[in-house]
Structure formats: C-alpha cells, structure tokens
Amino acid sequence: MKEALKAFRSSFLDFVDDPFYISEDKSVRYIHDGLIVVRDGKVEELGAYENLQSKYAGVPTTCYPGMLIVPGFIDTHIHFPQMEMIAAYGEQLLEWLSKYIFPTEGKFKDKIYAQQVASIFLDELLKNGTTTALVFTTVYPESVDAFFEEAERRNLRMIAGKVMMDRNAPDFLLDTAETSYYESKALIEKWHKKGRLLYAVTPRFAPTSTDEQLRIGGKLLQEFPDVYLHTHLSENVDEVLWVKELFPNCEGYLDAYDRAGLVGDRSVFAHGVQLTDKEFQRLSAAKSAIAFCPTSNLFLGSGLFKIEKAKSREHPVKVGLGTDVGGGTSFSILETVSEAYKVAQLRRQKLSPFKALFLATLGGARALCLEDVIGNFDVGKEADFVVLDMQSTPLMAFRNSSSIPTSLDELVDKVFSLVIMGDDRAVHTTYIMGELAYERSSL
Ligand SMILES: [Zn+2]
C-alpha cells in the first residue's frame, strides 16, 4: 500500500496571483530550501524546510538538491491526432488543413490506432512536464473514448471533446448537427467529471460548422453548464475573410460564436491573433479565455498575438499557453514560452520570465477555470508538479552556476535562461497526484 503522506525537498517556485496585475514580489512565491508534503495526492503543506522538518520528521522524503520544482505545466490548446503531422512543410492554415490534417484525422475512426496514438501523445506530454491539457480529438467518438481511457488509466486531469464539423471538409470527416448533438451528449454523460476528466464541446472552427451546428453546441452548453467550449478563433487573415462570407449577418468572427451561445466563462478560444479591440472587450466581458499558441502562429505564418491587449487593465482576458501541436512545432511548454517571448519582442512588448511562467501554470489553470484544483502549491490542490533541471545541457550548465539562488532577484535571471533555452531535457521528473509519472533517463 502507498503511504498516505510523502514529502519532497527542493527549491519551489509558483504563483499566488497574476504578475500582469500584481507586482512580482507579491505574486511570485519562491522557497529556496523548501518542503512540500503530499497527502493522498493533494498538497498538505508547503514551507521552508527548516520550519517543517521536525513536524514531518518520519515522513518518507525525496530530495532534489539543485533542482527547481514548479507546478505541472498546462497546455490550453493541443490536438492529439495531429502529432504525426507535426512539422508539415510549406502551407498556411486553410491549405495546411486540407493537405495534411484532414487525411490524418481520418485514421482515427480506428479505435486501436487512436489508442496507440493517445498513449504516445500522453507519454510526450508528461516527458515535457505538461500535466493538464485541453485537447482536440477528432469527429469520431471512438477517438474520444480512446483518449479518455488512456488519460484515466494515468489519473491525469485532462479536458477533451468530440470535434463537431458538418461542412467544408472531406465527407469522411463530417457529422451532422443532429449526430453531433447525440454523440456529444453521450460522451458528456460518459466522461465529464469521471475521475479527473472533463468534457469540452468542440466545434472545430466556424468555417466547418453550419450555423445550425454552432447553435447545437450552444444547446449542449445550456444543458450541461459546467462543460467547456473549445474552438479556434481569428487565427489567420484568409480564415477571418472566409468567416465573413459564411456568416454575412454577423458583425465579425467572434459574433458567429456569440450568436450561437458559445461565448461564456468556460469558453477557450485558440489563437485570437486577428481579433479587433471590440472582440477583446467582448471576451473580457464574457470572462472567456484565449489560448496563445506562439509556435503555431509563427510556423503557419498566422501573425503575432497581442498579449498586451489581452492582459490590459481595462478589459482583461484570461490567457493560457497552447502548443497547438501539430500546427505548433513542439510539445514543450518551455519552448512555447520562449517563442511567446520572441513574439512579444517583435511587437516591442516585454514578457518577463515570471509572467511567462505564470501563463504556463496558474494562468493556464485560470483560463481553464481550474484554479481551485491545480496551478500552484496552495494547500488542498492536486499535487501535479515538475522537477526542473537548470543545468540540463552543457550550455545551460555553463550559463548557470551550480547553486540555486536564494533571492527572487537572482532567480529572475536563472528562470529566464531556463525558459529561453530549456526543452524536454530540462524536465527531470514529472509527478501526478504525488506519484512518479515520468523520470528522465540520464543525459
Ligand atoms: Zn488548433
């Protein structure tokens, strides 16, 4: 039998508030020599080792000297069936979908195949320190079952849903408004809140759903108010023009979703690169979230997300980071942070290392309305966390001295080099509910 109580000693970094709005010395929590105590998979206590050592003297303790423990990374937008088409050459969004993605997604009607890919996909997430993700599957319910079965087996907190698409795609990928309703409803009843799993109503994007189908999505959200809405929004200029043609009565792209009842506080929209000011304001008022997917936006040439518009004081919008594999080029949230920083640089904006890491952890949890269960090390939260190695390559070891800094000021520089240079090699160990889920083999 597993011990109910276990402890981990290392350096700890997490966020207690949003550094975009609250100064970093108040929003960042850093414990140089800390101890986290886990009971039945949840955080029992976090504090300085010297203060807690006698209280938990008999508790089995795993030590990670010289490492940095952070909350598990949260990927707010990714496609599990697209991993085999990552790094497909030469196209922008609409052509890329037709040429590479639609044929690939067709394979997922075969549940055995979907199971195999789901297993590889979840291995890859854990290897990169990602412990929660909001995931596109395919139009086939079999692919949703395959994904959730594999996530349940690993006790992961995952959100996913069946893709709804009833036009502008090959016949083999189409459902209808009616079948998408019944299939989604059955999957919600089967999987939503089963263990740590949650369901998202998932129309692919406005161009592949009729107005009728979008309204069916709105109906599902009314019938099941605590499920999510997950879709794409305003990624690419040609796509935005196409939506204008397809929905001539709508004021803009977001309005096509809004009129169908899809814009609410549990709605997560991937990209938002081409949003107007008015659309940012509407997302703020509705408390919806955007998944910022920099590697994808750069790879597909979609554009540069305006982080400062989303994180404005006047009209704040919740933002998480998304890898958007296979439009995105890496499973690594650290690499995604690095590209987010560069996107901000091109717009003459500064994305500080702590702000970026916030987006990857507590910011992502807030975007997914999960801040009461994951995102930091507050007492009672689920103990999903990552042990990071700041010296994971010879160059990183050369860049960073061997000692972990004692002060926040010194830590900024180290964390910045980690998020800019780090990748899956920097992920030493990943824990799910306090249980070992991935351990890097020696480099
Ligand atoms: Zn996507």
Side-chain angles (χ1 to χ4, degrees):
M1 208 177 107
K2 288 163 188 157
E3 304 91 358
L5 211 56
K6 57 177 73 170
F8 302 86
R9 182 182 180 186
S10 189
S11 298
F12 292 86
L13 173 66
D14 70 341
F15 298 85
V16 294
D17 214 325
D18 185 340
F20 283 88
Y21 304 112
I22 307 290
S23 67
E24 292 187 343
D25 59 326
K26 291 198 175 69
S27 56
V28 180
R29 172 164 53 190
Y30 177 55
I31 304 172
H32 169 244
D33 181 11
L35 190 77
I36 194 167
V37 182
V38 176
R39 181 189 292 277
D40 296 329
K42 293 186 176 170
V43 176
E44 174 90 354
E45 193 161 6
L46 169 73
Y49 178 73
E50 60 178 2
N51 298 336
L52 296 180
Q53 60 169 322
S54 56
K55 185 174 173 186
Y56 296 104
V59 173
T61 301
T62 308
C63 298
Y64 290 105
M67 302 278 171
L68 182 68
I69 294 185
V70 301
F73 296 133
I74 296 172
D75 187 338
T76 58
H77 179 66
I78 185 165
H79 299 249
F80 110 78
Q82 293 182 10
M83 68 182 296
E84 67 184 80
M85 260 300 134
I86 193 169
Y89 173 73
E91 305 295 349
Q92 295 215 342
L93 175 66
L94 301 176
E95 300 75 21
W96 173 81
L97 281 172
S98 312
K99 185 169 172 182
Y100 298 116
I101 296 307
F102 289 156
T104 302
E105 290 193 0
K107 297 184 194 172
F108 286 74
K109 190 166 176 46
D110 175 356
K111 187 168 174 196
I112 303 290
Y113 185 73
Q115 281 169 329
Q116 289 167 351
V117 178
S119 178
I120 299 167
F121 175 84
L122 291 172
D123 283 347
E124 200 62 31
L125 286 183
L126 294 172
K127 179 170 178 258
N128 282 280
T130 299
T131 52
T132 287
L134 175 57
V135 180
F136 259 71
T137 60
T138 68
V139 73
Y140 312 114
E142 296 87 336
S143 70
V144 186
D145 284 334
F147 177 78
F148 276 140
E149 283 164 15
E150 191 62 29
E152 183 183 38
R153 197 176 68 73
R154 297 162 186 246
N155 197 25
L156 301 176
R157 187 165 278 292
M158 290 282 156
I159 313 173
K162 179 198 121 69
V163 174
M164 302 163 71
M165 46 200 299
D166 65 349
R167 65 171 167 175
N168 293 324
D171 286 348
F172 60 84
L173 277 183
L174 295 181
D175 55 13
T176 67
E178 193 184 0
T179 59
S180 70
Y181 174 76
Y182 288 111
E183 288 174 351
S184 299
K185 188 174 155 89
L187 289 164
I188 291 168
E189 286 165 348
K190 185 172 181 184
W191 291 111
H192 186 56
K193 293 186 175 171
K194 186 168 188 208
R196 305 181 78 199
L197 306 174
L198 296 160
Y199 194 87
V201 171
T202 311
R204 172 172 225 110
F205 68 152
T208 49
S209 285
T210 57
D211 194 40
E212 186 192 359
Q213 186 172 55
L214 293 182
R215 285 171 197 280
I216 287 291
K219 181 171 152 71
L220 285 164
L221 297 185
Q222 279 191 342
E223 288 175 27
F224 302 94
D226 59 356
V227 302
Y228 294 85
L229 182 282
H230 182 201
T231 190
H232 298 90
L233 172 67
S234 295
E235 178 175 359
N236 163 292
V237 172
D238 291 344
E239 172 208 18
V240 174
L241 293 172
W242 194 21
V243 171
K244 271 190 185 146
E245 280 173 33
L246 293 168
F247 296 86
N249 299 323
C250 290
E251 279 181 38
Y253 197 153
L254 182 64
D255 196 40
Y257 295 138
D258 213 354
R259 290 182 188 210
L262 299 178
V263 181
D265 62 355
R266 298 175 86 81
S267 303
V268 182
F269 297 100
H271 306 300
V273 172
Q274 315 293 340
L275 289 173
T276 64
D277 287 356
K278 205 173 161 193
E279 288 175 319
F280 273 116
Q281 289 168 23
R282 174 61 191 136
L283 290 172
S284 174
K287 298 189 170 57
S288 301
I290 297 174
F292 173 22
C293 309
T295 75
S296 171
N297 297 158
L298 295 170
F299 179 71
L300 293 175
S302 301
L304 307 174
F305 179 63
K306 302 179 183 81
I307 184 81
E308 78 287 358
K309 293 262 187 197
K311 299 297 286 184
S312 76
R313 287 189 179 273
E314 303 73 37
H315 304 287
V317 180
K318 295 182 289 186
V319 177
L321 290 176
T323 59
D324 193 27
V325 165
T329 50
S330 169
F331 274 78
S332 169
I333 288 289
L334 291 173
E335 289 191 90
T336 304
V337 162
S338 177
E339 298 308 295
Y341 175 81
K342 294 170 199 166
V343 166
Q345 278 281 56
L346 283 167
R347 304 198 62 261
R348 301 289 182 265
Q349 299 289 322
K350 279 188 185 170
L351 184 61
S352 79
F354 288 143
K355 285 178 180 170
L357 212 51
F358 167 81
L359 295 178
T361 55
L362 186 61
R366 288 182 174 180
L368 301 181
C369 303
L370 288 175
E371 67 272 26
D372 56 336
V373 285
I374 54 170
N376 67 11
F377 297 128
D378 282 354
V379 171
K381 292 216 182 169
E382 296 164 354
D384 292 350
F385 59 86
V386 188
V387 183
L388 295 175
D389 178 359
M390 295 213 217
Q391 299 184 308
S392 60
T393 67
L395 180 57
M396 284 174 73
F398 177 69
R399 169 70 169 78
N400 285 320
S401 71
S402 58
S403 60
I404 288 276
T406 52
S407 75
L408 204 57
D409 285 347
E410 292 172 62
L411 185 69
V412 176
D413 173 65
K414 306 280 187 214
V415 167
F416 186 63
S417 72
L418 172 71
V419 297
I420 295 301
M421 300 167 74
D423 52 28
D424 58 338
R425 292 168 293 180
V427 175
H428 182 279
T429 318
T430 303
Y431 281 89
I432 297 296
M433 299 285 282
E435 300 289 330
L436 185 78
Y438 163 77
E439 190 168 30
R440 188 186 68 192
S441 51
S442 55
L443 290 167

